[in-house]
Amino acid sequence: ETGVTQSPTHLIKTRGQQVTLRCSSQSGHNTVSWYQQALGQGPQFIFQYYREEENGRGNFPPRFSGLQFPNYSSELNVNALELDDSALYLCASREGTGERSYTFGSGTRLTVV
Amino acid sequence: GDSVTQMEGPVTLSEEAFLTINCTYTATGYPSLFWYVQYPGEGLQLLLKATKADDKGSNKGFEATYRKETTSFHLEKGSVQVSDSAVYFCALSANSGYSTLTFGKGTMLLVSP
């Protein structure tokens, strides 16, 4: 079975621009979560999608938004990029009912200059 | 809210030394507990987990026991190898709601030959 794949692996953007990050969930997984990991810190929960609906959100502003598609892949969109948005963005998926173990992708390293 | 506290690193050991990384948590109810490992430039890999009090998770020589009375989930390994050098994250998932992960800040382990 394939794992979680994220694209692109690295990205450099200018402050004020918009960015879209993509995630393909593991086969059979219908729940996708996104996390932001700043340098030297633990991952922080951004939001989660279950069967195309957002069902949880962390303490991130509305300029962080997302989508989940019928095949359970997902996008993270960030508008009006700020320097502090520079981080590793991790996508994780799991089967929605009962199993608590997430499978993580390798992440997208976003640098805002 | 839920939180996880880990000992600060880096933890520096010689090969074959005994490893302990302390982790304590604060949560309502009875969360599931996890240890994830992150190798340089990579995403997170699940190392082990425990879903209820007194459970012991184990994998690749690593062990951790869910101690409800002390709200702890310390990671141990009897004999570390150079290849164990990585950042280790303790995390919890509340067994209610949308069950996302709350991470500690991570502990870097450096093992020298």
Side-chain angles (χ1 to χ4, degrees), chain B residues 38-113:
Chain B
Q38 187 174 38
Y39 297 99
E42 298 186 11
L44 299 176
Q45 298 176 25
L46 177 64
L47 182 59
L48 53 83
K49 67 176 182 180
T51 58
K52 61 183 186 295
D54 300 325
D55 268 2
K56 177 185 284 188
S58 61
N59 186 27
K60 299 180 182 179
F62 291 90
E63 295 183 338
T65 301
Y66 190 141
R67 301 289 188 197
K68 185 174 183 299
E69 63 276 13
T70 55
T71 62
S72 65
F73 192 55
H74 305 321
L75 182 68
E76 297 181 337
K77 187 176 185 183
S79 176
V80 294
Q81 305 300 311
V82 173
S83 58
D84 293 328
S85 298
V87 180
Y88 292 81
F89 292 93
C90 184
L92 67 82
S93 175
N95 288 324
S96 62
Y98 46 82
S99 301
T100 60
L101 291 163
T102 299
F103 287 90
K105 292 187 175 181
T107 303
M108 179 178 287
L109 171 65
L110 300 171
V111 181
S112 57

Side-chain angles (χ1 to χ4, degrees), chain A residues 30-31 50-51 94-100:
Chain A
N30 53 18
T31 300
Y50 172 63
R51 294 186 175 178
R94 69 175 173 91
E95 197 279 324
T97 55
E99 174 55 57
R100 304 303 178 188

